[in-house]
Amino acid sequence: MPQMPRSSPRADPSPVAARPRICVIGAGPSGITAAKNLLAAGFRDVVVYDRNTEVGGNWIFRPDESHSSVFDTTHIISSKRLSQYEDFPMPDHYPDYPGHAQLKTYFQSYARTFGVDQVLQLGTEVSSARRRPGGGWTLTLGDGRREEFDALLVASGHHWDPRMPSYPGTFTGTFLHSHSYKTAEAFAGKRVLVIGGGNSACDIAVETSRRSARTEISMRRGYWFIPKFLMGLPSDVVNERMMRKLPRPIRQAAMKLTIRLVQGRNSAYGLAEPEHGPLEAHPTLNSELLYFIRHGEVHPRPDIARLDGRTVHFVDGTSGEFDVIIAATGYVTRFPFLDPEEVGDYSGHEVPLYLKMFHPRFEDLFFIGLFQPQGCIWPLSDWQGKLVARALLGAWKRPVDMDAAIRRELDHPDYAFTDSVRHAVEVDYHEFRKRLMTELEGGRAY
């Protein structure tokens, strides 16, 4: 079992906080820490809805296709040291990069320790959430019930609605999204093409190559592949202890030099060179892909030009025959229970929320975990939860001009991230944590 937390799980009840009825949608890592902070602040009428029958969100692995995007061999890409909640360490016996079963156990232990399990309504889907004219929210549940709340926290995740690519022509084999991938056994003896250069694409290419007749991987651009360990330490720990002390331009150059010293240039593996710095895109942490390429188990390809039956034509004029295409091409950020006409559409290149969480118009609507850090979401969601609790207590005030504050945030990202939908909510772990802490301490992030 995880170690006991460093701080008390509950604060003394606040009489001011006893009145509002608050809903949290989602009992994944972000939802349970948001609920923990509400309870710790003294709020007692808190309800957490989740359509799953247990705590864990995306980390509830099932062998058949479900809400979850994890597969049988999934491990986190950030280290235990920088993934655990700051007041609830992972057990000492957990490895540096825990797997999905260990993480589910950890999250469920967290929920029990902080009393979140007492406010859960599992197996309950939220069909719609509509704002009442005078404030607050009316929720319609999957069984037809209606419930009224004074505040709504959305923590339902953004890795569940697959974004499928489109190419000229038609593929007559099996074309699926990585969300549907669960085990390599299903691809034994098949000719497999994986699309993408992110973490899921690289993991799936490596895993399928162990069972397939042949596995190839198509990337439309160059990526930086960061090894999971440097100098015997998890690479994010090395970054925290050493790279963070350097000015940003020097940090970029130092990371680039380190990666090239460790594994050379991408061209040595038949891959395109990246046109951006190591910190200007979401990191791909993988120590196996390059190894498998050089061992002839995974074969690199450029972007796809067109499809023709079982034949895939690539932009360099080459082609190949495949039985299966697996597209690891990301997800659409969508909240089907919210009305985009009322709340906003967050599926594009910009997400206009202050600190990725505060709505510009509705002071009773909050998003928890709607960001993609160069690091782990969960500890940062914990800080977001603390800030929401203070806002609901009246101890934190929004910027006077929310639109201007949001515009400044959007115009000044932590790095010059590549212009893609994938990076609409990208943040640097340490910089974002600093901004949240500054707000909690009474300062202003922007």
Side-chain angles (χ1 to χ4, degrees):
M1 296 293 290
Q3 302 170 19
M4 290 302 293
R6 286 188 277 260
S7 60
S8 172
R10 294 284 185 88
D12 291 333
S14 164
V16 177
R19 301 187 198 95
R21 189 170 194 231
I22 307 170
C23 175
V24 179
I25 300 179
S30 293
I32 58 175
T33 195
K36 181 265 287 188
N37 282 292
L38 293 172
L39 295 173
F43 295 95
R44 288 296 171 262
D45 201 352
V46 176
V47 178
V48 181
Y49 292 123
D50 196 291
R51 64 179 180 176
N52 294 301
T53 56
E54 57 184 331
V55 166
N58 194 44
W59 294 94
I60 304 171
F61 168 74
R62 294 195 181 104
D64 54 335
E65 187 171 349
S66 67
H67 73 289
S68 173
S69 62
V70 303
F71 41 92
D72 62 342
T73 58
T74 297
H75 289 248
I76 51 174
I77 62 168
S78 52
S79 69
K80 174 176 73 172
R81 160 76 177 78
L82 290 169
S83 298
Q84 61 196 6
Y85 300 111
E86 295 180 33
D87 59 354
F88 196 71
M90 289 189 189
D92 291 338
H93 69 271
Y94 272 27
D96 288 305
Y97 293 97
H100 59 77
Q102 293 165 317
L103 292 170
K104 187 179 78 167
T105 298
Y106 171 69
F107 296 132
Q108 293 180 353
S109 178
Y110 180 92
R112 286 193 302 271
T113 299
F114 289 102
V116 176
D117 60 330
Q118 300 301 306
V119 297
L120 293 173
Q121 291 195 27
L122 299 174
T124 304
E125 186 168 4
V126 176
S127 300
S128 72
R130 297 293 180 265
R131 197 163 189 273
R132 300 188 305 232
W137 297 83
T138 299
L139 270 63
T140 302
L141 306 180
D143 61 4
R145 284 183 295 146
R146 288 194 173 189
E147 299 286 345
E148 306 291 330
F149 293 93
D150 300 297
L152 177 64
L153 281 68
V154 177
S156 54
H158 52 98
H159 288 148
W160 63 270
D161 188 8
R163 185 186 298 276
M164 289 295 290
S166 177
Y167 302 101
T170 302
F171 182 67
T172 56
T174 301
F175 199 156
L176 67 150
H177 192 273
S178 59
H179 186 78
S180 302
Y181 175 88
K182 294 300 175 183
T183 175
E185 293 300 321
F187 306 97
K190 302 291 183 64
R191 298 167 297 178
V192 178
L193 176 65
V194 180
I195 302 173
N199 292 286
S200 294
C202 295
D203 286 344
I204 291 172
V206 167
E207 292 302 314
T208 56
S209 73
R210 303 180 196 273
R211 303 291 295 132
S212 68
R214 182 180 176 89
T215 291
E216 303 188 12
I217 185 167
S218 167
M219 301 182 193
R220 61 185 174 85
R221 59 179 176 86
Y223 290 78
W224 291 98
F225 301 99
I226 302 173
K228 282 196 164 183
F229 294 94
L230 291 168
M231 297 178 286
L233 296 171
S235 53
D236 59 357
V237 174
V238 174
N239 176 58
E240 180 192 41
R241 293 181 182 177
M242 299 174 61
M243 299 294 187
R244 297 292 310 171
K245 298 177 182 179
L246 302 172
R248 288 190 189 186
I250 299 176
R251 190 185 313 160
Q252 285 266 41
M255 288 192 68
K256 185 182 297 187
L257 177 61
T258 300
I259 294 169
R260 285 184 170 161
L261 283 173
V262 171
Q263 54 202 25
R265 291 181 172 271
N266 282 8
S267 56
Y269 303 86
L271 298 167
E273 297 293 342
E275 297 180 355
H276 57 277
L279 298 172
E280 294 172 354
H282 192 66
T284 300
L285 274 87
N286 191 290
S287 297
E288 292 188 296
L289 178 70
L290 302 183
Y291 176 93
F292 271 61
I293 288 175
R294 291 293 284 270
H295 281 72
E297 301 296 333
V298 176
H299 306 271
R301 292 280 199 172
D303 197 10
I304 295 172
R306 61 188 175 89
L307 308 173
D308 183 10
R310 295 291 179 106
T311 304
V312 177
H313 297 269
F314 300 95
V315 295
D316 63 353
T318 62
S319 62
E321 300 291 317
F322 300 94
D323 302 303
V324 180
I325 296 177
I326 305 173
T329 47
Y331 295 85
V332 178
T333 299
R334 190 167 67 87
F335 304 99
F337 47 84
L338 293 174
D339 181 357
E341 294 293 328
E342 177 182 50
V343 174
D345 181 356
Y346 302 120
S347 63
H349 284 244
E350 290 189 342
V351 174
L353 300 170
Y354 183 59
L355 293 173
K356 312 295 186 224
M357 60 187 295
F358 293 103
H359 196 276
R361 298 193 311 279
F362 304 144
E363 296 188 22
D364 50 12
L365 175 63
F366 312 91
F367 292 84
I368 307 296
L370 183 52
F371 56 89
Q372 187 67 51
Q374 296 183 339
C376 189
I377 291 179
W378 317 323
L380 299 176
S381 292
D382 185 25
W383 285 101
Q384 284 190 325
K386 297 179 195 298
L387 195 53
V388 168
R390 287 182 61 81
L392 290 171
L393 287 169
W396 179 86
K397 300 298 181 185
R398 296 153 58 93
V400 175
D401 189 338
M402 281 289 283
D403 290 328
I406 291 170
R407 189 71 257 166
R408 284 194 297 273
E409 186 175 346
L410 292 173
D411 290 343
H412 297 87
D414 295 327
Y415 293 95
F417 298 122
T418 56
D419 184 21
S420 67
V421 173
R422 183 188 188 194
H423 294 103
V425 288
E426 192 79 9
V427 297
D428 176 84
Y429 176 95
H430 298 281
E431 294 297 329
F432 193 55
R433 179 178 181 273
K434 185 189 302 181
R435 290 199 293 278
L436 294 171
M437 291 179 67
T438 298
E439 293 279 355
L440 281 164
E441 292 166 358
R444 182 97 283 161
Y446 288 96

